[in-house]
């Protein structure tokens, strides 16, 4: 009987360790654009973690003192299973909500792209290439870049074009200097649209600066030290997709053409380190990034 009691308590303690590890991983992974990030939530997360650790200490104490009977052992074992089930349900619910939010965002962005025949599928294409590039980043370059936040930023990089008049977006002829001034304002308009969403504040610079250059000659003349890795990744993906997409005024260019352009603008427009990483990505993987709505 004592062996059974010890086995139940030990199993419960081991499961509680797993529960704590899963909860910590969940907390670390939830710092994204869909998490509120308010202080009260962080306090509740801290309290929950302390309680889980407190319960684990209780399991260990009971096991060491051998003071439990079969009923208490059953309660402790069942409690650890109950916590595991609750955590699983919460994690699945959060995952489902985030997936639904992303699907809604993709639908809204498709409306933005639809305003300009040259942009249909462009935002999804940029998102896919950006996330593929993220997969190839070394671990030290991923620090501080939440993948879900990056996915939203890449998808919404052109949302500011909602504020650009259609006669400029759809103009078949070259834009005038005044029209270009208006067009160049779309990244800043995008941040103004998203600014009321508190949890999006981290990614606003990623969106606003995606047309900036390392030589400081971008849309807003932002110095390169203010352009973080996420911003540079979206800029690279946006450039690649623009080169390889069909437009009303040009035919799509090849992967080899894009590589040639990248080599010419390395260090002036685009980050040379990211270009080197990009060139390690198989062409087949890049082809798989093309949405069905994009003509290449």
């Amino acid at each position: 009987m004592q062996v059974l009691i010890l086995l139940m308590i030990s199993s419960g303690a081991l499961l509680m360790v797993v529960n704590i590890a899963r909860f910590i991983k969940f907390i670390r992974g939830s710092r994204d654009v869909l998490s509120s990030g308010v202080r009260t939530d962080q306090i509740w997360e801290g309290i929950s973690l302390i309680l889980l650790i407190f319960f684990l200490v209780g399991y260990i104490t009971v096991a060491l003192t051998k003071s439990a009977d079969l009923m208490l052992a059953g309660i402790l074992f069942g409690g650890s299973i109950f916590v595991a089930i609750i955590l699983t349900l919460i994690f699945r619910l959060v995952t489902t909500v985030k997936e639904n939010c992303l699907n809604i965002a993709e639908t809204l962005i498709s409306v933005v792209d639809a305003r300009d025949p040259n942009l249909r599928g462009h935002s999804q294409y940029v998102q896919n290439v950006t996330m593929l590039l993220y997969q190839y980043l070394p671990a030290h370059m991923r620090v501080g870049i939440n993948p879900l936040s990056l996915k939203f930023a890449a998808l919404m990089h052109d949302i500011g074009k909602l504020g650009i008049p259609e006669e400029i977006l759809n103009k078949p002829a070259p834009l005038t200097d005044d029209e270009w001034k208006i067009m160049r304002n779309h990244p800043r308009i995008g941040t103004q649209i998203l600014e009321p969403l508190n949890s999006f504040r981290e990614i606003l610079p990623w969106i606003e600066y995606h047309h900036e250059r390392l030589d400081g000659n971008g849309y807003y003349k932002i110095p390169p030290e203010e352009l973080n890795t996420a911003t540079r990744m979206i800029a690279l993906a946006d450039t690649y997709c623009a080169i390889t997409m069909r437009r009303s005024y040009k035919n799509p260019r090849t992967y080899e053409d894009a590589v040639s352009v990248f080599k010419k603008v390395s260090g002036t427009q685009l980050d040379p380190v990211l270009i080197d990483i990009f060139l390690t990505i198989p062409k087949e993987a890049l082809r798989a990034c093309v949405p069905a709505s994009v003509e290449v």
Side-chain angles (χ1 to χ4, degrees):
M1 182 67 70
Q2 211 46 45
V3 173
L4 177 60
I5 291 173
L6 182 60
L7 179 62
M8 292 175 68
I9 295 176
S10 299
S11 299
L14 181 61
L15 183 54
M16 192 59 69
V17 170
V18 174
N19 290 336
I20 291 173
R22 292 175 65 203
F23 186 69
I24 292 174
K25 182 180 179 181
F26 170 74
I27 292 175
R28 289 179 175 176
S30 65
R31 301 290 187 256
D32 54 51
V33 293
L34 297 182
S35 302
S36 65
V38 296
R39 184 169 179 79
T40 52
D41 289 346
Q42 296 175 5
I43 291 174
W44 284 118
E45 289 171 353
I47 292 174
S48 299
L49 181 59
I50 291 173
L51 287 175
L52 287 174
I53 296 174
F54 176 76
F55 291 151
L56 175 61
V57 172
Y59 281 84
I60 296 174
T61 300
V62 171
L64 292 177
T65 59
K66 299 179 181 180
S67 58
D69 55 19
L70 186 60
M71 179 174 289
L72 179 58
I75 292 173
L76 292 175
F77 182 64
S80 63
I81 295 176
F82 175 74
V83 172
I85 293 173
I86 293 299
L87 289 178
T88 299
L89 292 175
I90 292 174
F91 297 163
R92 286 182 178 177
L93 176 61
V94 171
T95 299
T96 300
V97 169
K98 290 185 176 183
E99 288 176 351
N100 289 339
C101 287
L102 185 59
N103 290 337
I104 293 172
E106 289 173 351
T107 301
L108 292 174
I109 291 301
S110 68
V111 175
V112 177
D113 285 0
R115 296 182 68 224
D116 183 351
N118 290 312
L119 287 180
R120 286 175 185 166
H122 172 74
S123 297
Q124 183 70 63
Y125 192 11
V126 172
Q127 181 196 59
N128 293 344
V129 173
T130 300
M131 298 315 298
L132 179 62
L133 178 59
Y134 176 82
Q135 294 176 24
Y136 280 79
L137 288 185
H140 73 275
M141 291 185 69
R142 294 187 185 187
V143 176
I145 304 178
N146 180 279
L148 184 61
S149 297
L150 181 63
K151 185 176 288 190
F152 268 88
L155 179 67
M156 295 185 168
H157 74 283
D158 272 344
I159 194 172
K161 289 187 176 178
L162 279 171
I164 304 300
E166 288 195 28
E167 58 267 23
I168 294 179
L169 284 177
N170 299 326
K171 186 176 179 180
L175 299 181
T176 65
D177 289 343
D178 288 340
E179 289 169 337
W180 264 118
K181 287 180 182 178
I182 296 174
M183 179 64 81
R184 288 193 183 100
N185 207 34
H186 79 266
R188 195 152 284 166
I189 294 173
T191 61
Q192 292 169 356
I193 292 173
L194 298 173
E195 193 171 14
L197 302 173
N198 290 332
S199 58
F200 273 61
R201 289 184 177 177
E202 178 190 7
I203 70 171
L204 293 185
W206 306 359
I207 295 171
E208 184 173 359
Y209 300 156
H210 75 272
H211 277 296
E212 298 311 304
R213 298 167 52 103
L214 293 188
D215 59 11
N217 292 319
Y219 279 14
Y220 306 131
K221 313 298 182 185
I222 302 299
E225 58 269 18
E226 295 186 26
L227 307 177
N228 61 20
T229 300
T231 305
R232 299 179 184 204
M233 290 172 66
I234 296 172
L236 187 150
D238 187 36
T239 303
Y240 176 79
C241 296
I243 293 171
T244 56
M245 279 183 66
R246 182 182 299 277
R247 301 289 174 88
S248 60
Y249 50 84
K250 76 171 185 71
N251 290 323
R253 299 173 69 182
T254 65
Y255 167 85
E256 288 73 20
D257 291 334
V259 170
S260 177
V261 172
F262 281 180
K263 290 179 178 179
K264 290 178 182 177
V265 302
S266 178
T268 55
Q269 178 181 340
L270 300 176
D271 188 316
V273 175
L274 290 179
I275 288 177
D276 288 342
I277 295 172
F278 180 87
L279 295 180
T280 66
I281 301 175
K283 285 195 291 185
E284 294 74 17
L286 287 165
R287 289 196 188 101
C289 291
V290 182
S293 57
V294 171
E295 291 189 53
V296 295

